[in-house]
């Protein structure tokens, strides 16, 4: 979800394990900012929630084109804030998107050194997936979870063509359904989650998509690895869905928008703040919080 980056030799987990100091660590303590993208920092037209009069709406910057049409936006003010954030912190885009879907995004500011895709299944270093990280994740999923084939078969068998629009597999790691939300039976997602949990899988409903993701596939594990490599002494995070909950819990300080799956379920944690704004304005507010807190010294967990 950012500008293509010239590939260099990726730094692997095995190569860095023996090094007490990572290549990006410095004498100045680093703040790592790991943020979800969709409905957290960037927004589709349907998710903008521009409630003000048209003449007062903020100017928007398109950051994603799909099928030759504009798809995702942030405000121009948010674009400037993100540019500043990317220059002053270790900014890590953190998404459930596949690498291909992430590659469509053109975020403002310098290209991030690290990015987390496929909900932690891929750790990108200079645009390339770290092979050792990928192998480590694949081993855990194989050891701890029912197979993707079993879960996919159940998803298809339990779905109704009346509301199922598409079924997809992402990166050979997890599956998701695109549904007609208004026709989705009440309680169907809950029943799916109860079936999936003892099999080592997590279920999340985000907009029109229902995700089934192996439980070991987490954004927090990948964030922790990037923090280790960069020597970051403080971690900040943001996200809107249940698939972001582990990321928010693992960070020293975190934010969630006032909209989204976490808001709908009433999810909270002591060190996780909620924005006052909704929609694209919440993304701008989150970036202001990131910049404000990253400029402070000392631990932030108690704030």
């Amino acid at each position: 979800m950012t500008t293509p980056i010239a590939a260099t030799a990726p730094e692997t987990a095995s190569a860095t394990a023996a090094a007490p100091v990572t290549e990006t660590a410095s004498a100045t303590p680093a703040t790592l900012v790991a943020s979800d993208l969709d409905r957290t920092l960037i927004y589709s037209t349907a998710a903008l929630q521009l409630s003000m009069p048209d003449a007062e709406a903020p100017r928007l910057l398109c950051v994603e084109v799909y099928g030759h049409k504009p798809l995702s936006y942030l405000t121009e003010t948010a674009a400037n804030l993100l540019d500043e954030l990317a220059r002053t912190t270790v900014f890590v885009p953190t998404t459930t998107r596949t690498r291909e879907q992430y590659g469509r995004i053109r975020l403002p500011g310098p290209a991030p050194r690290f990015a987390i895709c496929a909900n932690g299944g891929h750790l990108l270093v200079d645009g390339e997936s770290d092979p050792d990280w990928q192998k480590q994740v694949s081993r855990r999923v194989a050891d701890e979870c029912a197979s993707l084939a079993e879960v996919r078969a159940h998803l298809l068998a339990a779905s109704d063509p009346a509301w199922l629009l598409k079924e997809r597999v992402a990166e050979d790691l997890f599956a998701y359904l695109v549904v007609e939300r208004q026709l989705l039976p009440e309680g169907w997602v809950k029943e799916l989650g109860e079936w999936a949990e003892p099999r080592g899988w997590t279920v999340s409903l985000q907009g029109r998509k229902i995700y089934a993701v192996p439980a070991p596939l987490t954004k927090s594990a990948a964030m922790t690895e990037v923090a280790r490599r960069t020597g970051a002494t403080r971690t900040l995070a943001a996200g809107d869905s249940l698939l972001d909950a582990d990321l928010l819990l693992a960070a020293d300080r975190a934010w969630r928008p006032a909209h989204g799956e976490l808001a709908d379920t009433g999810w909270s944690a002591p060190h996780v703040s909620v924005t006052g704004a909704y929609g694209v304005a919440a993304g701008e507010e989150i970036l202001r919080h990131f910049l404000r807190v990253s400029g402070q010294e000392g631990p932030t967990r108690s704030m």
Side-chain angles (χ1 to χ4, degrees):
M1 302 170 72
T2 189
T3 307
I5 309 167
T8 60
E11 178 186 8
T12 64
S14 60
T16 59
V21 179
T22 57
E23 65 175 82
T24 54
S26 67
T28 302
T31 295
L32 185 153
V33 177
S35 182
D36 176 53
L37 296 174
D38 293 283
R39 293 177 178 251
T40 299
L41 292 188
I42 67 174
Y43 292 79
S44 67
T45 301
L48 288 172
Q49 297 191 46
L50 299 175
S51 58
M52 69 290 291
D54 291 346
E56 299 175 13
R59 285 164 57 99
L60 300 173
L61 175 68
C62 178
V63 293
E64 180 184 18
V65 172
Y66 181 58
H68 309 290
K69 296 179 181 179
L71 181 61
S72 298
Y73 305 84
L74 42 63
T75 68
E76 284 192 348
T77 298
N80 292 330
L81 295 171
L82 182 54
D83 177 82
E84 182 180 354
L85 186 75
R87 295 178 188 279
T88 56
T89 69
V90 180
F91 174 64
V92 185
T94 306
T95 179
T96 304
R97 287 188 179 217
T98 66
R99 288 169 290 173
E100 180 181 0
Q101 292 167 338
Y102 171 77
R104 297 197 302 255
I105 301 298
R106 299 293 183 266
L107 292 175
R113 174 89 164 93
F114 298 93
I116 295 167
C117 291
N119 213 63
H122 287 280
L123 174 57
L124 303 189
V125 185
D126 291 330
E128 298 292 331
S129 181
D130 184 304
D132 281 6
W133 178 258
Q134 188 178 353
K135 291 175 184 176
Q136 177 183 330
V137 169
S138 296
R139 281 195 302 267
R140 284 199 62 194
V141 170
D143 291 343
E144 301 175 22
C145 305
S147 69
L148 174 61
E150 178 184 347
V151 173
R152 186 182 183 191
H154 180 82
L155 286 173
L156 290 173
S159 301
D160 187 332
W163 48 261
L164 177 62
L165 302 178
K166 298 177 185 177
E167 182 267 341
R168 295 287 185 269
V169 170
E171 302 272 20
D172 290 324
L173 288 170
F174 60 89
Y176 64 91
L177 308 177
V178 181
V179 303
E180 192 67 57
R181 182 75 177 261
Q182 295 84 351
L183 301 179
L184 186 67
E186 184 177 354
W188 192 89
V189 174
K190 182 175 183 292
E191 291 176 4
L192 177 63
E194 291 171 348
W195 178 89
E197 183 177 5
R199 292 168 175 81
W201 286 69
T202 300
V203 172
S204 174
L205 174 62
Q206 301 180 38
R208 297 194 306 155
K209 293 182 179 179
I210 301 172
Y211 290 90
V213 179
L217 205 65
T218 65
K219 295 178 179 180
S220 60
M223 179 190 72
T224 299
E225 175 64 11
V226 176
R228 184 186 71 82
R229 295 188 187 193
T230 60
T233 55
R234 172 168 47 193
T235 54
L236 309 179
D240 70 299
S241 79
L242 288 174
L243 291 177
D244 296 312
D246 68 283
L247 177 71
L248 305 188
L249 290 173
D252 293 315
R253 183 80 189 273
W255 292 262
R256 68 165 177 83
H259 61 259
E261 190 180 25
L262 292 177
D264 292 343
T265 59
W267 186 93
S268 65
H271 68 291
V272 178
S273 301
V274 182
T275 64
Y278 294 78
V280 71
E284 184 176 313
E285 181 180 336
I286 286 169
L287 287 165
R288 292 185 188 279
H289 287 307
F290 281 154
L291 283 168
R292 175 180 57 81
V293 176
S294 65
Q296 298 175 359
E297 296 182 356
T300 59
R301 171 71 81 170
S302 61
M303 294 178 59

